[in-house]
Amino acid sequence: PSPQSRSNQPSQRPCLLPAGSAVATLAGFMGGTVTGTATFSKATGTDVKVDVALANCVAGKSYPVHIHEGTSCADAMAQGDHWGPQRGEGIPNVTCSGTTGTSTLTRPATPTNLAWTIGGDAATNVVGHAFVVHAPDVPMSPPRIACGVITQK
């Protein structure tokens, strides 16, 4: 555009995630009604932070969340098992207050067998994996109630 057509007005575009970020938009699965997001961003250095926010959850309940090895939320087979399996674990459960809850984890770059990247090496890249919310109060093999595929932004 010509200099005369440029504007100093703020953009009307929606807020975008910072470069080097990724998000999974979580939708109910197998009758589950929990929804939310898992947002991955670069923390300090090469560390990666995930912020999980759930809605439509039950007050006082603690929901396990994990990154799974699969690349789709179509069914449990497509979601796969926990990634690594330890690489997909370690995210604190989301305990809900009212009908919402949050959890945060910063995953350090070491040890390398647990490290995450956003768009990096396939062995550490969170992008493309399924992010799964499990039902609370089920100690062994809790049912999967929400899922979203992590996409780079």
Side-chain angles (χ1 to χ4, degrees), residues 59-141:
K61 299 290 183 181
S62 183
Y63 293 79
V65 293
H66 306 96
I67 301 171
H68 282 238
E69 62 188 14
T71 58
S72 169
C73 291
D75 56 34
M77 288 292 290
Q79 294 167 5
D81 292 327
H82 294 175
W83 182 30
Q86 289 105 354
R87 192 180 303 272
E89 299 175 346
I91 303 166
N93 288 0
V94 178
T95 301
C96 292
S97 174
T99 60
T100 63
T102 60
S103 176
T104 298
L105 172 74
T106 299
R107 177 62 58 95
T110 57
T112 55
N113 68 312
L114 299 178
W116 294 340
T117 59
I118 301 169
D121 182 83
T124 59
N125 187 5
V126 299
V127 175
H129 287 278
F131 192 93
V132 175
V133 180
H134 294 274
D137 303 329
V138 182
M140 297 300 292
S141 300

